[in-house]
Amino acid sequence: MAAVNPYLIFNGNCEEAFLFYKSVFGGEFPYIGKFSDMPLDGNSPKLSDADANKVMHVCLPIGDTMLMGSDSNDASGEAVFGSNVSISINSESTDEADRIFNGLSAGGNPYMPMSKTFWGAYFGMFVDKFGIHWMVNFDEAPNK
């Protein structure tokens, strides 16, 4: 079955927050990447210098849970505290990811459909009909 993890969105201080969490929980970051690490394609908006240096994704293992986070950017808009937490589901297959995404997003706002990503995952995001933010992920390349 899928793993469920919290995903936190910050307004430019994600790295500072995760360094603090790391100082409390210990461990190492399996991954930390900046928006400047993203490959640009024809659909990508140009990033400002300030956004390029913000955290695109970071994760910190805490027991069997993975605490994950990123900064907001000009394209996503400022994070609003209270709605800056998403539940991230890591599925075991693309079929399971589609089933979960389609089921939970019914009647809601699926603003990023499931699709393959540059980081080697099959990924999508939505707000369900109750206003809860979700991310669904299947790691096709689990070393990322």
Side-chain angles (χ1 to χ4, degrees):
M1 186 56 187
V4 177
N5 299 294
Y7 201 103
L8 311 175
I9 308 295
F10 296 87
N11 286 321
N13 61 341
C14 181
E15 186 169 10
E16 177 186 358
F18 269 75
L19 288 170
F20 171 72
Y21 301 148
K22 181 180 166 186
S23 76
V24 173
F25 294 109
E28 297 298 325
F29 300 131
Y31 180 82
I32 183 167
K34 305 289 178 120
F35 283 105
S36 61
D37 298 333
M38 290 187 340
L40 297 177
D41 62 24
N43 299 323
S44 300
K46 178 153 174 42
L47 294 172
S48 67
D49 290 340
D51 279 352
N53 291 316
K54 290 180 178 178
V55 173
M56 176 195 65
H57 181 73
V58 61
C59 47
L60 177 66
I62 303 171
D64 291 336
T65 299
M66 189 70 73
L67 181 63
M68 297 183 279
S70 68
D71 281 312
S72 62
N73 60 43
D74 290 340
S76 65
E78 189 170 300
V80 176
F81 290 91
S83 63
N84 65 320
V85 176
S86 292
I87 300 170
S88 177
I89 306 263
N90 288 326
S91 68
E92 295 181 346
S93 68
T94 56
D95 288 341
E96 183 182 45
D98 285 336
R99 181 183 63 76
I100 292 168
F101 184 94
N102 292 333
L104 289 175
S105 68
N109 177 19
Y111 59 90
M112 183 176 181
M114 295 299 299
S115 63
K116 292 186 180 218
T117 65
F118 72 86
W119 65 85
Y122 184 59
F123 180 80
M125 297 188 298
F126 61 93
V127 177
D128 72 17
K129 63 184 177 181
F130 302 103
I132 304 301
H133 295 250
W134 296 84
M135 300 173 172
V136 177
N137 186 78
F138 170 63
D139 286 321
E140 294 179 323
N143 293 337
K144 292 275 178 180

